[in-house]
Amino acid sequence: MKVIGVIPARYDSTRFPGKPLVDIGGMTMIQRVYNQVNHASSLSEVVVATDDQRIYDHVKSFAGNVVMTSRDHQSGTDRCAEVIQNISGFDTVINIQGDEPFIDPQQIDLLVSCFSDQDVQIATLIRKITEFADLENVNKPKVVLNAKNEAIYFSRQPIPYFRGKEMKNWLNDAEYFNHIGIYGYRANVLKELTELPISNLERIESLEQLRWIDNGYKIKTAISSHVNDAIDTPQDLDAIKRKYFNV
């Protein structure tokens, strides 16, 4: 199985423009992500997919693989699909967030391992919720699983609802999971996903993976214990610098 890791990187982030090029301890965020991803033993190739010349030139400057993609894509999934239209020979595609500069390479290997089962179409990672703040945080999507560890629903709200108990006590009596935003797709399935129209559930929750469930695709999950530090805002960047560099 040949696996390509794709790191979508946009310059025009609504909440944090220019985010891939911000400095983190003497190295840009996109270079840190790229270096971490290259330590994943399961990947045959790693490439940054961008729509901005500044990011393209920067990745080239540290001898990274990078391709220019359309500015019209609505999601990283669409950007990954364009990459494999132009780079053939890969069975599986891993869509890696470009805003997690300290992603654990073992998480990528764990995700790739899901595809040892030939029936897996799509895979993603989840993490058990241990803090009430994560349970109630609508910016951290939750996921409900079936008996086969396939995702049957994602929501920004705490789910499943534990009837008869105060929410503050839910974690004492049941398992809840946050979604980690890294995806793997069979190459042929990825092409199919990009041809699907936006679904009603996706529109309501603003979670693109609900489009796939709406259309009958199965999403395999694997549990990771690693806490991912994503940078969505300048405040997140300040917190990362304090955590890792005491700045």
Side-chain angles (χ1 to χ4, degrees):
M1 183 171 62
K2 288 193 67 178
V3 185
I4 184 171
V6 181
I7 309 169
R10 294 175 59 248
Y11 190 91
D12 295 325
S13 167
T14 303
R15 288 185 288 179
F16 197 170
K19 182 169 62 172
L21 300 181
V22 296
D23 180 84
I24 305 175
M27 189 180 298
T28 62
M29 179 158 67
I30 193 62
Q31 185 172 1
R32 286 193 177 277
V33 175
Y34 188 89
N35 290 349
Q36 289 293 103
V37 173
N38 262 307
H39 284 99
S41 60
S42 57
L43 299 181
S44 304
E45 187 170 335
V46 177
V47 62
V48 174
T50 188
D51 59 2
D52 189 271
Q53 191 66 44
R54 288 161 290 190
I55 296 174
Y56 182 93
D57 292 342
H58 175 65
V59 176
K60 282 290 188 182
S61 75
F62 60 78
N65 291 329
V66 59
V67 295
M68 287 292 288
T69 54
S70 170
R71 298 184 65 89
D72 297 329
H73 293 311
Q74 298 299 308
S75 69
T77 300
D78 295 332
R79 206 170 297 282
C80 288
E82 182 181 343
V83 170
I84 63 164
Q85 285 177 359
N86 299 309
I87 304 177
S88 61
F90 292 95
D91 310 291
T92 304
V93 183
I94 305 299
N95 177 356
I96 300 149
Q97 298 284 345
D99 59 3
E100 294 183 5
F102 300 102
I103 185 172
D104 185 348
Q106 292 183 355
Q107 287 185 299
I108 298 170
D109 294 335
L110 173 63
L111 184 60
V112 172
S113 72
C114 293
F115 291 91
S116 60
D117 181 345
Q118 293 301 311
D119 292 330
V120 171
Q121 301 172 307
I122 309 167
T124 194
L125 297 184
I126 61 176
R127 183 173 65 85
K128 184 176 178 179
I129 297 175
T130 58
E131 301 292 336
F132 179 70
D134 289 340
L135 181 66
E136 64 174 353
N137 188 343
V138 297
N139 293 315
K140 293 188 175 183
K142 271 63 70 174
V143 57
V144 175
L145 311 176
N146 64 17
K148 296 180 180 180
N149 284 333
E150 295 166 343
I152 56 176
Y153 196 72
F154 295 83
S155 180
R156 297 185 182 280
Q157 292 294 327
I159 53 171
Y161 179 80
F162 204 133
R163 184 178 179 184
K165 284 192 177 290
E166 293 186 55
M167 189 186 295
K168 65 181 181 180
N169 297 321
W170 286 6
L171 296 180
N172 297 330
D173 298 291
E175 287 189 322
Y176 288 81
F177 296 94
N178 277 139
H179 178 227
I180 299 172
I182 179 174
Y183 296 106
Y185 331 82
R186 299 280 181 197
N188 61 312
V189 171
L190 175 56
K191 182 178 184 299
E192 294 171 2
L193 296 181
T194 61
E195 297 171 353
L196 298 173
I198 293 175
S199 75
N200 191 48
L201 290 177
E202 176 189 11
R203 180 184 59 80
I204 293 169
E205 293 259 20
S206 191
L207 296 171
E208 69 166 328
Q209 61 270 36
L210 291 176
R211 184 192 315 184
W212 313 335
I213 292 176
D214 249 348
N215 284 275
Y217 289 90
K218 295 180 179 180
I219 305 176
K220 185 72 173 180
T221 69
I223 299 173
S224 171
S225 60
H226 181 72
V227 179
N228 296 65
D229 295 307
I231 298 176
D232 294 318
T233 66
Q235 291 73 29
D236 293 336
L237 176 60
D238 292 338
I240 287 286
K241 288 181 175 180
R242 288 193 299 271
K243 179 177 179 178
Y244 291 94
F245 303 102
N246 296 316
V247 176

PDB file of all heavy atoms in Angstrom, residues 2 35 46 69 77 83 88 90 95 112 125-126 155 159 169 186 203 227 232-233:
ATOM      1  N   LYS A   2       0.682   2.093  -1.012  1.00  0.00           N
ATOM      2  CA  LYS A   2       1.412   3.355  -1.092  1.00  0.00           C
ATOM      3  C   LYS A   2       0.536   4.477  -0.554  1.00  0.00           C
ATOM      4  O   LYS A   2      -0.601   4.654  -0.999  1.00  0.00           O
ATOM      5  CB  LYS A   2       1.837   3.654  -2.534  1.00  0.00           C
ATOM      6  CG  LYS A   2       2.957   2.776  -3.056  1.00  0.00           C
ATOM      7  CD  LYS A   2       3.529   3.328  -4.350  1.00  0.00           C
ATOM      8  CE  LYS A   2       4.239   4.658  -4.128  1.00  0.00           C
ATOM      9  NZ  LYS A   2       4.845   5.180  -5.372  1.00  0.00           N
ATOM     10  N   ASN A  35       8.062  18.771   8.874  1.00  0.00           N
ATOM     11  CA  ASN A  35       9.122  17.962   9.484  1.00  0.00           C
ATOM     12  C   ASN A  35       8.544  16.843  10.336  1.00  0.00           C
ATOM     13  O   ASN A  35       9.043  15.705  10.320  1.00  0.00           O
ATOM     14  CB  ASN A  35      10.039  18.845  10.332  1.00  0.00           C
ATOM     15  CG  ASN A  35      10.899  19.772   9.499  1.00  0.00           C
ATOM     16  OD1 ASN A  35      10.967  19.632   8.272  1.00  0.00           O
ATOM     17  ND2 ASN A  35      11.543  20.728  10.137  1.00  0.00           N
ATOM     18  N   VAL A  46       5.319  12.965   1.152  1.00  0.00           N
ATOM     19  CA  VAL A  46       4.639  14.055   1.858  1.00  0.00           C
ATOM     20  C   VAL A  46       4.659  15.273   0.946  1.00  0.00           C
ATOM     21  O   VAL A  46       5.688  15.584   0.331  1.00  0.00           O
ATOM     22  CB  VAL A  46       5.329  14.392   3.197  1.00  0.00           C
ATOM     23  CG1 VAL A  46       4.637  15.573   3.880  1.00  0.00           C
ATOM     24  CG2 VAL A  46       5.357  13.178   4.111  1.00  0.00           C
ATOM     25  N   THR A  69      -2.492  24.545  -5.842  1.00  0.00           N
ATOM     26  CA  THR A  69      -3.838  24.056  -6.092  1.00  0.00           C
ATOM     27  C   THR A  69      -4.790  25.246  -6.240  1.00  0.00           C
ATOM     28  O   THR A  69      -4.430  26.377  -5.956  1.00  0.00           O
ATOM     29  CB  THR A  69      -4.312  23.134  -4.952  1.00  0.00           C
ATOM     30  OG1 THR A  69      -4.167  23.820  -3.707  1.00  0.00           O
ATOM     31  CG2 THR A  69      -3.495  21.854  -4.910  1.00  0.00           C
ATOM     32  N   THR A  77     -10.218  18.538   2.134  1.00  0.00           N
ATOM     33  CA  THR A  77     -10.533  17.316   1.391  1.00  0.00           C
ATOM     34  C   THR A  77     -10.502  17.579  -0.107  1.00  0.00           C
ATOM     35  O   THR A  77      -9.921  16.806  -0.880  1.00  0.00           O
ATOM     36  CB  THR A  77     -11.920  16.784   1.807  1.00  0.00           C
ATOM     37  OG1 THR A  77     -11.916  16.505   3.200  1.00  0.00           O
ATOM     38  CG2 THR A  77     -12.275  15.519   1.038  1.00  0.00           C
ATOM     39  N   VAL A  83      -4.724  17.118  -5.557  1.00  0.00           N
ATOM     40  CA  VAL A  83      -3.347  16.618  -5.537  1.00  0.00           C
ATOM     41  C   VAL A  83      -3.261  15.241  -6.179  1.00  0.00           C
ATOM     42  O   VAL A  83      -2.405  14.985  -7.032  1.00  0.00           O
ATOM     43  CB  VAL A  83      -2.799  16.562  -4.091  1.00  0.00           C
ATOM     44  CG1 VAL A  83      -1.469  15.807  -4.044  1.00  0.00           C
ATOM     45  CG2 VAL A  83      -2.619  17.974  -3.549  1.00  0.00           C
ATOM     46  N   SER A  88      -0.237  10.410  -9.413  1.00  0.00           N
ATOM     47  CA  SER A  88      -0.863   9.092  -9.432  1.00  0.00           C
ATOM     48  C   SER A  88      -0.022   8.060  -8.684  1.00  0.00           C
ATOM     49  O   SER A  88       1.109   8.337  -8.276  1.00  0.00           O
ATOM     50  CB  SER A  88      -1.089   8.638 -10.872  1.00  0.00           C
ATOM     51  OG  SER A  88       0.145   8.552 -11.564  1.00  0.00           O
ATOM     52  N   PHE A  90      -0.921   6.293  -5.820  1.00  0.00           N
ATOM     53  CA  PHE A  90      -1.136   6.135  -4.383  1.00  0.00           C
ATOM     54  C   PHE A  90      -2.499   5.501  -4.113  1.00  0.00           C
ATOM     55  O   PHE A  90      -3.503   5.855  -4.725  1.00  0.00           O
ATOM     56  CB  PHE A  90      -1.024   7.481  -3.666  1.00  0.00           C
ATOM     57  CG  PHE A  90       0.367   8.032  -3.678  1.00  0.00           C
ATOM     58  CD1 PHE A  90       0.757   8.950  -4.648  1.00  0.00           C
ATOM     59  CD2 PHE A  90       1.304   7.605  -2.750  1.00  0.00           C
ATOM     60  CE1 PHE A  90       2.047   9.447  -4.677  1.00  0.00           C
ATOM     61  CE2 PHE A  90       2.597   8.096  -2.776  1.00  0.00           C
ATOM     62  CZ  PHE A  90       2.971   9.012  -3.736  1.00  0.00           C
ATOM     63  N   ASN A  95      -4.952  13.222   4.999  1.00  0.00           N
ATOM     64  CA  ASN A  95      -5.163  14.673   5.032  1.00  0.00           C
ATOM     65  C   ASN A  95      -4.744  15.173   6.411  1.00  0.00           C
ATOM     66  O   ASN A  95      -5.412  14.886   7.409  1.00  0.00           O
ATOM     67  CB  ASN A  95      -6.643  14.957   4.755  1.00  0.00           C
ATOM     68  CG  ASN A  95      -7.002  16.425   4.844  1.00  0.00           C
ATOM     69  OD1 ASN A  95      -6.182  17.274   5.181  1.00  0.00           O
ATOM     70  ND2 ASN A  95      -8.254  16.730   4.574  1.00  0.00           N
ATOM     71  N   VAL A 112      -2.992   5.274   9.370  1.00  0.00           N
ATOM     72  CA  VAL A 112      -2.710   4.450   8.188  1.00  0.00           C
ATOM     73  C   VAL A 112      -2.990   2.978   8.470  1.00  0.00           C
ATOM     74  O   VAL A 112      -3.478   2.245   7.598  1.00  0.00           O
ATOM     75  CB  VAL A 112      -1.253   4.654   7.725  1.00  0.00           C
ATOM     76  CG1 VAL A 112      -0.890   3.658   6.616  1.00  0.00           C
ATOM     77  CG2 VAL A 112      -1.042   6.086   7.229  1.00  0.00           C
ATOM     78  N   LEU A 125      -9.147   9.858  13.513  1.00  0.00           N
ATOM     79  CA  LEU A 125      -8.725   9.599  14.896  1.00  0.00           C
ATOM     80  C   LEU A 125      -9.666  10.272  15.877  1.00  0.00           C
ATOM     81  O   LEU A 125     -10.261  11.311  15.585  1.00  0.00           O
ATOM     82  CB  LEU A 125      -7.300  10.116  15.128  1.00  0.00           C
ATOM     83  CG  LEU A 125      -6.182   9.475  14.313  1.00  0.00           C
ATOM     84  CD1 LEU A 125      -4.830  10.053  14.753  1.00  0.00           C
ATOM     85  CD2 LEU A 125      -6.176   7.956  14.450  1.00  0.00           C
ATOM     86  N   ILE A 126      -9.773   9.677  17.057  1.00  0.00           N
ATOM     87  CA  ILE A 126     -10.558  10.234  18.143  1.00  0.00           C
ATOM     88  C   ILE A 126      -9.749  10.138  19.432  1.00  0.00           C
ATOM     89  O   ILE A 126      -8.760   9.400  19.505  1.00  0.00           O
ATOM     90  CB  ILE A 126     -11.909   9.504  18.307  1.00  0.00           C
ATOM     91  CG1 ILE A 126     -11.670   8.020  18.639  1.00  0.00           C
ATOM     92  CG2 ILE A 126     -12.746   9.649  17.044  1.00  0.00           C
ATOM     93  CD1 ILE A 126     -12.950   7.246  18.913  1.00  0.00           C
ATOM     94  N   SER A 155     -20.958  15.744  16.324  1.00  0.00           N
ATOM     95  CA  SER A 155     -21.709  16.935  16.712  1.00  0.00           C
ATOM     96  C   SER A 155     -20.825  17.869  17.521  1.00  0.00           C
ATOM     97  O   SER A 155     -19.890  17.443  18.200  1.00  0.00           O
ATOM     98  CB  SER A 155     -22.929  16.558  17.551  1.00  0.00           C
ATOM     99  OG  SER A 155     -23.649  17.724  17.934  1.00  0.00           O
ATOM    100  N   ILE A 159     -22.557  14.572  22.944  1.00  0.00           N
ATOM    101  CA  ILE A 159     -23.403  13.422  22.611  1.00  0.00           C
ATOM    102  C   ILE A 159     -22.653  12.147  22.948  1.00  0.00           C
ATOM    103  O   ILE A 159     -21.420  12.130  22.905  1.00  0.00           O
ATOM    104  CB  ILE A 159     -23.810  13.424  21.112  1.00  0.00           C
ATOM    105  CG1 ILE A 159     -22.572  13.529  20.215  1.00  0.00           C
ATOM    106  CG2 ILE A 159     -24.835  14.474  20.811  1.00  0.00           C
ATOM    107  CD1 ILE A 159     -22.864  13.319  18.748  1.00  0.00           C
ATOM    108  N   ASN A 169     -21.512  15.150  35.528  1.00  0.00           N
ATOM    109  CA  ASN A 169     -21.209  13.792  35.994  1.00  0.00           C
ATOM    110  C   ASN A 169     -21.158  12.774  34.865  1.00  0.00           C
ATOM    111  O   ASN A 169     -20.922  11.585  35.120  1.00  0.00           O
ATOM    112  CB  ASN A 169     -22.261  13.349  37.026  1.00  0.00           C
ATOM    113  CG  ASN A 169     -22.239  14.213  38.271  1.00  0.00           C
ATOM    114  OD1 ASN A 169     -21.175  14.612  38.745  1.00  0.00           O
ATOM    115  ND2 ASN A 169     -23.413  14.505  38.816  1.00  0.00           N
ATOM    116  N   ARG A 186      -9.290   6.072   1.004  1.00  0.00           N
ATOM    117  CA  ARG A 186      -8.891   5.370  -0.199  1.00  0.00           C
ATOM    118  C   ARG A 186      -8.912   6.393  -1.342  1.00  0.00           C
ATOM    119  O   ARG A 186      -9.799   7.258  -1.389  1.00  0.00           O
ATOM    120  CB  ARG A 186      -9.864   4.248  -0.527  1.00  0.00           C
ATOM    121  CG  ARG A 186      -9.987   3.179   0.533  1.00  0.00           C
ATOM    122  CD  ARG A 186      -8.871   2.173   0.494  1.00  0.00           C
ATOM    123  NE  ARG A 186      -9.067   1.155   1.523  1.00  0.00           N
ATOM    124  CZ  ARG A 186      -8.112   0.340   1.947  1.00  0.00           C
ATOM    125  NH1 ARG A 186      -6.883   0.421   1.429  1.00  0.00           N
ATOM    126  NH2 ARG A 186      -8.358  -0.552   2.884  1.00  0.00           N
ATOM    127  N   ARG A 203     -24.685  21.094   6.709  1.00  0.00           N
ATOM    128  CA  ARG A 203     -25.043  22.504   6.747  1.00  0.00           C
ATOM    129  C   ARG A 203     -25.398  22.940   8.176  1.00  0.00           C
ATOM    130  O   ARG A 203     -25.007  24.024   8.617  1.00  0.00           O
ATOM    131  CB  ARG A 203     -26.234  22.756   5.814  1.00  0.00           C
ATOM    132  CG  ARG A 203     -26.703  24.207   5.783  1.00  0.00           C
ATOM    133  CD  ARG A 203     -27.939  24.361   4.919  1.00  0.00           C
ATOM    134  NE  ARG A 203     -29.052  23.550   5.387  1.00  0.00           N
ATOM    135  CZ  ARG A 203     -29.839  23.898   6.404  1.00  0.00           C
ATOM    136  NH1 ARG A 203     -29.627  25.022   7.067  1.00  0.00           N
ATOM    137  NH2 ARG A 203     -30.839  23.114   6.771  1.00  0.00           N
ATOM    138  N   VAL A 227      -2.541  14.580  22.916  1.00  0.00           N
ATOM    139  CA  VAL A 227      -3.288  15.836  22.928  1.00  0.00           C
ATOM    140  C   VAL A 227      -2.720  16.747  21.848  1.00  0.00           C
ATOM    141  O   VAL A 227      -1.558  17.143  21.904  1.00  0.00           O
ATOM    142  CB  VAL A 227      -3.213  16.530  24.299  1.00  0.00           C
ATOM    143  CG1 VAL A 227      -3.968  17.849  24.270  1.00  0.00           C
ATOM    144  CG2 VAL A 227      -3.780  15.625  25.390  1.00  0.00           C
ATOM    145  N   ASP A 232      -5.540  28.028  15.896  1.00  0.00           N
ATOM    146  CA  ASP A 232      -6.619  28.620  15.117  1.00  0.00           C
ATOM    147  C   ASP A 232      -6.616  30.146  15.167  1.00  0.00           C
ATOM    148  O   ASP A 232      -7.147  30.802  14.280  1.00  0.00           O
ATOM    149  CB  ASP A 232      -7.974  28.122  15.619  1.00  0.00           C
ATOM    150  CG  ASP A 232      -8.173  26.634  15.381  1.00  0.00           C
ATOM    151  OD1 ASP A 232      -7.805  26.158  14.289  1.00  0.00           O
ATOM    152  OD2 ASP A 232      -8.672  25.945  16.281  1.00  0.00           O
ATOM    153  N   THR A 233      -6.021  30.711  16.221  1.00  0.00           N
ATOM    154  CA  THR A 233      -6.050  32.158  16.439  1.00  0.00           C
ATOM    155  C   THR A 233      -4.686  32.632  16.926  1.00  0.00           C
ATOM    156  O   THR A 233      -3.861  31.826  17.370  1.00  0.00           O
ATOM    157  CB  THR A 233      -7.099  32.517  17.512  1.00  0.00           C
ATOM    158  OG1 THR A 233      -6.666  31.973  18.776  1.00  0.00           O
ATOM    159  CG2 THR A 233      -8.466  31.963  17.156  1.00  0.00           C
TER     160      THR A 233
END
